[in-house]
Amino acid sequence: MCTAATYKTKDFYFGRTLDYEFSYGDQIVITPRNYAFNFRHVGDMKNHYAIIGMAHVAEDYPLYYDAMNEKGVAMAGLNFVGNAVYAAIKPDVENIAQFEFIPWILSQCSSLVEVRELLERINIVNTPFSEQLPLAQLHWIISDENESITVESMSDGLHIYDNPVGVLTNNPPFPQQMFQLNNYMYLSPKQPRNTFCENLTLDAYSRGMGGLGLPGDLSSSSRFVRVAFTKVNAISGESEEESVSQFFHILGSVDQQRGCCEVADGKYEITLYTSCCNVTKGIYYYNTYENHQISAVDMHVENLDSDKMICYPVIQGERINYQNK
Ligand SMILES: C[C@H](CCC(=O)NCCS(=O)(=O)O)[C@H]1CC[C@H]2[C@@H]3[C@H](O)C[C@@H]4C[C@H](O)CC[C@]4(C)[C@H]3C[C@H](O)[C@]12C
């Protein structure tokens, strides 16, 4: 399971949890403007917008999971198992392999308006990266500071949905996820009033009772409602520290602890990492299951005119701040 969310204070923030039972070996990867992307079916792109995100690197190629570009567009791929279907190659369209989708969009779009234009000509195709790294069944959230969309490639074609709540999890398809929010419109951060029966004396005996009924389990539809409720009600100061901290708290509402979601005998899904992109400033923040300290990589500290990928290892291991030794 995975969850993605957007958040706006003074700057625009975008991030995700990546939940799985093992890591593919991830790094924070910057592809500067002159790193050549060799797209399988549409040829080479020698220069483009710079990109930073979490990726698995194979054959000197960044297989991004989530990323943003220097122009303020961000996107993430989340599992969509059993529903994602990629097309065969077609003439007169831009055939982009599933693993190329993030670089294709982020290398050339400076806004969601441009993303929508590019998506009119795209065909997401079923070309695998390699035998060892076959197709991943994903859907995507793409955002700038003004709007978000969800992209789902299914057996009946490519769907592009407005995503007015700015969150995404996994199955079922996005329209069903949005529809179920109707069931929770009574939820509120305020204390409830007794509308049950005026002749009964009912007591709001605990704080937080306006949220009674918010689903607490780890299923993707429950996480969708929970992170949506948390995100739309979350209040933060405008400073970078307050905003980043609040963003991690929002995704903390759907954090997965080892042992609570068994995926095979003795194998458990956990939140391997949580990311928070300051999309306005190009800073990639993250923490991991084993390291709660927030680490960051700022793309603008690097030479973004380079033609070589720049990689930073994910820092693991808890760093505990002893106060008396
Ligand atoms: C497993 C990840 C998704 C996590 C997730 O959504 N879990 C939910 C599980 S479930 O639905 O609830 O069952 C996905 C997100 C991005 C994926 C990676 C990226 O797409 C990049 C490449 C793409 C290659 O085709 C396969 C390897 C890969 C390196 C992918 C491996 C894996 O499928 C990743 C890491």
Side-chain angles (χ1 to χ4, degrees):
M1 293 170 259
C2 289
T3 307
T6 62
Y7 193 58
K8 183 107 192 340
T9 62
K10 188 159 64 54
D11 287 346
F12 174 58
Y13 298 86
F14 175 101
R16 63 101 54 80
T17 56
L18 190 133
D19 305 338
Y20 216 51
E21 62 275 24
F22 67 87
S23 167
Y24 281 78
D26 322 322
Q27 306 183 65
I28 299 92
V29 179
I30 298 165
T31 37
R33 297 174 190 125
N34 294 306
Y35 168 92
F37 278 113
N38 309 119
F39 290 98
R40 296 277 170 100
H41 308 292
V42 295
D44 293 354
M45 188 184 287
K46 293 226 163 67
N47 37 65
H48 50 79
Y49 298 139
I51 299 169
I52 181 170
M54 193 66 86
H56 172 69
V57 175
E59 298 165 31
D60 199 37
Y61 188 90
L63 289 159
Y64 280 116
Y65 313 168
D66 54 275
M68 66 179 148
N69 69 14
E70 58 179 313
K71 292 292 180 183
V73 181
M75 65 189 284
L78 287 80
N79 262 7
F80 193 41
V81 176
N83 281 306
V85 176
Y86 307 113
I89 292 171
K90 283 198 290 206
D92 307 323
V93 287
E94 286 163 339
N95 293 296
I96 301 300
Q98 164 260 311
F99 66 86
E100 297 172 330
F101 189 40
I102 291 182
W104 177 248
I105 295 292
L106 295 186
S107 58
Q108 42 189 335
C109 297
S110 65
S111 67
L112 257 279
V113 175
E114 291 182 13
V115 172
R116 286 179 194 273
E117 281 169 19
L118 206 59
L119 290 176
E120 279 173 22
R121 306 192 296 274
I122 202 173
N123 183 34
I124 304 181
V125 299
N126 55 13
T127 310
F129 179 76
S130 65
E131 226 173 273
Q132 296 73 35
L133 295 171
L135 290 171
Q137 294 187 52
L138 305 177
H139 59 174
W140 292 268
I141 177 171
I142 314 179
S143 308
D144 66 11
E145 65 171 335
N146 300 314
E147 55 174 329
S148 293
I149 58 172
T150 298
V151 178
E152 298 186 335
S153 181
M154 297 177 59
S155 55
D156 60 349
L158 190 69
H159 300 279
I160 297 152
Y161 301 107
D162 290 345
N163 183 335
V165 70
V167 303
L168 188 66
T169 61
N170 309 106
N171 284 335
F174 186 69
Q176 286 160 253
Q177 295 279 30
M178 282 303 292
F179 183 81
Q180 60 154 351
L181 292 184
N182 291 316
N183 298 335
Y184 298 95
M185 66 171 134
Y186 64 91
L187 292 184
S188 168
K190 295 190 193 313
Q191 284 295 71
R193 281 186 312 107
N194 176 12
T195 54
F196 187 89
C197 172
E198 60 184 25
N199 297 330
L200 287 176
T201 309
L202 299 178
D203 182 21
Y205 59 88
S206 162
R207 292 178 176 185
M209 288 175 70
L212 266 180
L214 185 66
D217 66 275
L218 291 174
S219 67
S220 43
S221 48
S222 294
R223 281 182 289 109
F224 190 94
V225 181
R226 194 157 72 250
V227 76
F229 179 79
T230 311
K231 176 233 159 117
V232 298
N233 289 301
I235 291 171
S236 168
E238 301 232 299
S239 74
E240 183 70 347
E241 288 77 11
E242 288 166 303
S243 307
V244 170
S245 167
Q246 180 69 330
F247 191 88
F248 278 93
H249 283 299
I250 293 168
L251 284 183
S253 71
V254 287
D255 200 37
Q256 289 207 52
Q257 299 79 16
R258 183 179 289 119
C260 295
C261 174
E262 190 171 29
V263 294
D265 258 357
K267 285 200 174 152
Y268 299 95
E269 186 163 292
I270 58 169
T271 300
L272 291 170
Y273 73 82
T274 304
S275 64
C276 165
C277 303
N278 179 329
V279 188
T280 314
K281 294 201 171 69
I283 306 172
Y284 191 93
Y285 298 90
Y286 70 94
N287 64 15
T288 76
Y289 198 84
E290 315 292 349
N291 179 9
H292 281 82
Q293 187 180 53
I294 298 170
S295 303
V297 179
D298 180 347
M299 79 191 298
H300 293 290
V301 169
E302 306 292 336
N303 173 13
L304 293 182
D305 289 322
S306 161
D307 58 1
K308 303 262 178 323
M309 247 179 353
I310 303 156
C311 300
Y312 286 91
V314 171
I315 300 174
Q316 296 288 8
E318 288 295 359
R319 286 158 159 66
I320 294 169
N321 184 18
Y322 284 98
Q323 290 184 266
N324 64 348
K325 63 174 178 173

